[in-house]
């Protein structure tokens, strides 16, 4: 994993992205030279058109990130990756056509776009067939030694067995634990020199997966391993890095207090975020006003009741506020009191089912963003009736209210839509990761990948 602006990105994704940018530049250059030869003009030097080519590559790369080309599924499935690539390139063409319309006078965009797109599809698919297979090989994964043989060690084993995993476990060392789950673990007493053992296995990282640390930490061994240049990590930090969430099963208050995160520089980032929220929400409300009014009319025609509805939600620092959405349920949907939404919920109207799938019902929330009660990115605001119950049953749930709620968020793009205590628990793990590792870069990734959620109805209910 590479940590970029406090967010962990797999080595395979970084390498694949760099290859893609280079291939997109190559495809654009070949397309220009092919077109130049056809019309009989001098192609000139590559440096003369570097910026238009770079602009094309960045636009395509942005589209690929947005539709999930670099997701775990795409990295291990050629069929899945090709389908997402075609969608990304189609969106990229639309974006490039719009840029050409706005800028004008750039013959590169118009005369070579078709050739560049055809070549891009070819080289990007070949890249995934050749380089993607290499990146998926265990030779490119970090070699991890696990200290522990209990439930935590077993969880790491299952995590490492995932096809998209960026590490391979080369061994387990039992540290005199009472309950041994990983039977192949080597007893600590059977290893004369743990430092030499780590060196012989070619280990790049040691992870502490002890069930009970008291009187069990081999401090002298760990010091020797650390000074030899091998990274030493604790279980909670390792899981956070590999999964993009804070593991509630093992995290404790001291880890949250002393681990990296919750930066004081957030004041600067929060100012930039607020400026973006004001500008983006104002533009969004202006551009989507006709769509909102059209579906407001359809909602009125489809079922009795108002087109919009207000609902109290819990916001920053636990303060309540009213959110406005297009009504997607019958007006008597909560006659029996507040309740979770369910799959194929019978309370949802015909028009409501459609606007939920394409997220049109969320558009009026831009007004809450403009007022400063919400942000575009953040944990989803929950209802007070549910919050009281969740704070009782889920440790650290109140901490998610230390950041402003959002229309979309890290949990929304990583976890399927859920409406239960257990689902709220899983989403809380992602919300805590966002609160702990927030940067404008992470916000940008979330905004881009929200398009993937909308296009494929991931999480919609």
């Amino acid at each position: 994993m590479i940590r970029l602006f406090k967010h962990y990105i797999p080595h395979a994704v970084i390498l694949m992205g760099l290859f893609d940018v280079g291939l997109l530049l190559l495809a654009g250059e070949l397309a220009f030279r092919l077109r130049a030869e056809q019309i009989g003009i001098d192609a000139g030097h590559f440096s003369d058109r570097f910026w238009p080519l770079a602009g094309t590559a960045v636009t395509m790369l942005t589209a690929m990130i947005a539709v999930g080309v670099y997701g775990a599924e795409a990295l291990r499935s050629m069929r899945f990756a090709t389908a997402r690539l075609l969608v990304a390139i189609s969106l990229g063409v639309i974006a490039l056509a719009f840029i050409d319309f706005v800028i004008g006078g750039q013959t590169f965009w118009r005369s070579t776009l078709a050739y560049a797109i055809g070549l891009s599809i070819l080289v990007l698919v070949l890249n995934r067939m050749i380089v993607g297979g290499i990146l998926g090989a265990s030779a490119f994964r970090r070699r991890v030694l696990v200290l522990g043989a209990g439930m935590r060690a077993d969880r790491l084993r299952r995590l490492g067995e995932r096809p998209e995993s960026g590490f391979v476990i080369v061994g387990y060392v039992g540290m005199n634990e009472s309950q041994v789950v990983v039977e192949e673990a080597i007893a600590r007493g059977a290893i004369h020199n743990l430092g030499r053992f780590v060196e012989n296995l070619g280990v790049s990282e040691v992870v502490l997966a002890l069930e009970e640390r008291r009187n069990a930490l081999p401090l002298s061994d760990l010091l020797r391993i650390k000074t030899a240049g091998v990274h030493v990590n604790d279980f909670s930090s390792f899981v956070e890095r590999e999964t993009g969430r804070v593991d509630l099963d093992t995290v404790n208050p001291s880890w949250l207090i002393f681990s990296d995160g919750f930066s004081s520089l957030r004041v600067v980032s929060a100012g930039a975020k607020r400026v973006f929220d004001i500008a983006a929400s104002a533009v969004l409300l202006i551009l989507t006003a006709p769509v909102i009014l059209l579906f407001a009319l359809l909602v009125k025609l489809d079922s009795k009741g108002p087109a919009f509805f207000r609902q109290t939600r819990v916001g920053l620092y636990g303060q309540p506020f009213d959110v406005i959405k297009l009504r997607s349920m019958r007006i008597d949907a909560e006659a029996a009191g507040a309740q979770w939404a369910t799959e194929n919920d019978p309370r949802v109207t015909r028009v409501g089912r459609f606007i939920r799938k394409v997220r049109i019902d969320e558009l009026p929330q831009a007004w809450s963003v403009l007022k400063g009660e919400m942000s575009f990115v953040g944990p989803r605001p929950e209802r007070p009736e549910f919050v009281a119950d969740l704070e009782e049953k889920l440790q650290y749930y109140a901490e998610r209210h230390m950041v402003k709620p959002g229309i979309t968020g890290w949990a929304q793009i990583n976890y399927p839509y859920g409406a239960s205590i257990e689902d709220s628990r899983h989403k809380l793990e992602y919300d805590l990761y966002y609160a702990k590792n927030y940067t404008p870069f992470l916000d940008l990734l979330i905004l881009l990948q929200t398009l993937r959620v909308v296009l494929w109805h991931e999480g919609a209910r």
Side-chain angles (χ1 to χ4, degrees), residues 126-149:
L126 286 174
N127 185 31
R128 272 142 187 81
M129 291 176 65
I130 301 171
V131 180
I134 297 173
L135 292 178
S138 59
F140 284 85
R141 296 180 180 180
R142 296 184 316 285
R143 295 174 63 83
V144 171
L145 177 69
V146 176
L147 298 188

Side-chain angles (χ1 to χ4, degrees), residues 203-428:
V203 172
S204 57
E205 184 172 10
V206 172
V207 180
L208 303 179
L210 305 176
E211 302 300 318
E212 176 57 59
R213 285 195 181 188
R214 190 171 302 166
N215 301 322
L217 277 178
L219 294 179
S220 59
D221 288 328
L222 292 177
L223 180 60
R224 229 172 263 116
I225 291 168
K226 179 73 173 180
T227 54
V230 177
H231 187 59
V232 178
N233 215 343
D234 67 279
F235 181 86
S236 296
S237 298
F238 184 83
V239 171
E240 178 196 21
R241 187 187 71 196
E242 296 298 323
T243 65
R245 59 183 177 83
V246 172
D247 184 62
L248 290 179
D249 287 331
T250 57
V251 73
N252 54 56
S254 63
W255 182 84
L256 285 173
I257 292 169
F258 294 110
S259 64
D260 186 30
F262 308 105
S263 173
S264 60
L265 293 177
R266 181 176 292 175
V267 175
V268 178
S269 299
K273 184 172 185 174
R274 182 61 188 142
V275 171
F276 170 80
D277 283 341
I278 292 172
S281 59
V283 171
L284 182 64
L285 285 170
I286 292 171
L287 293 179
T288 61
V291 176
I292 294 173
L293 292 174
L294 171 63
F295 280 94
L297 177 61
L298 292 176
V299 168
K300 286 284 290 181
L301 293 174
D302 182 54
S303 61
K304 294 180 179 179
F308 300 91
F309 81 101
R310 289 177 178 270
Q311 194 174 66
T312 302
R313 299 291 178 98
V314 177
L316 185 64
Y317 306 132
Q319 296 299 311
F321 71 99
D322 287 337
V323 68
I324 302 173
K325 298 176 71 174
L326 280 168
R327 182 173 58 84
S328 59
M329 290 188 175
R330 304 191 313 264
I331 56 173
D332 62 345
E334 296 194 335
Q339 53 188 292
W340 297 103
T342 60
E343 193 170 358
N344 299 319
D345 200 315
R347 300 173 298 164
V348 178
T349 63
R350 289 174 299 177
V351 173
R353 189 162 288 108
F354 174 76
I355 63 177
R356 279 178 167 235
K357 280 187 176 181
V358 296
R359 308 299 173 98
I360 292 175
D361 63 322
E362 309 276 3
L363 291 176
Q365 290 181 86
W367 176 247
S368 297
V369 176
L370 187 62
K371 290 195 298 180
E373 296 168 333
M374 291 178 66
S375 177
F376 270 103
V377 181
R380 286 292 294 157
E382 198 51 85
R383 301 177 62 178
E385 300 93 329
F386 297 144
V387 167
D389 186 41
L390 291 169
E391 286 186 352
E392 268 188 33
K393 296 178 178 177
L394 299 178
Q395 192 177 17
Y396 310 118
Y397 191 83
E399 271 61 47
R400 75 193 294 273
H401 297 134
M402 298 308 291
V403 293
K404 193 176 290 187
I407 295 176
T408 185
W410 187 239
Q412 281 65 49
I413 67 170
N414 283 289
Y415 190 78
Y417 185 95
S420 67
I421 296 293
E422 188 59 27
D423 288 326
S424 295
R425 186 179 185 281
H426 287 301
K427 288 189 286 186
L428 175 59

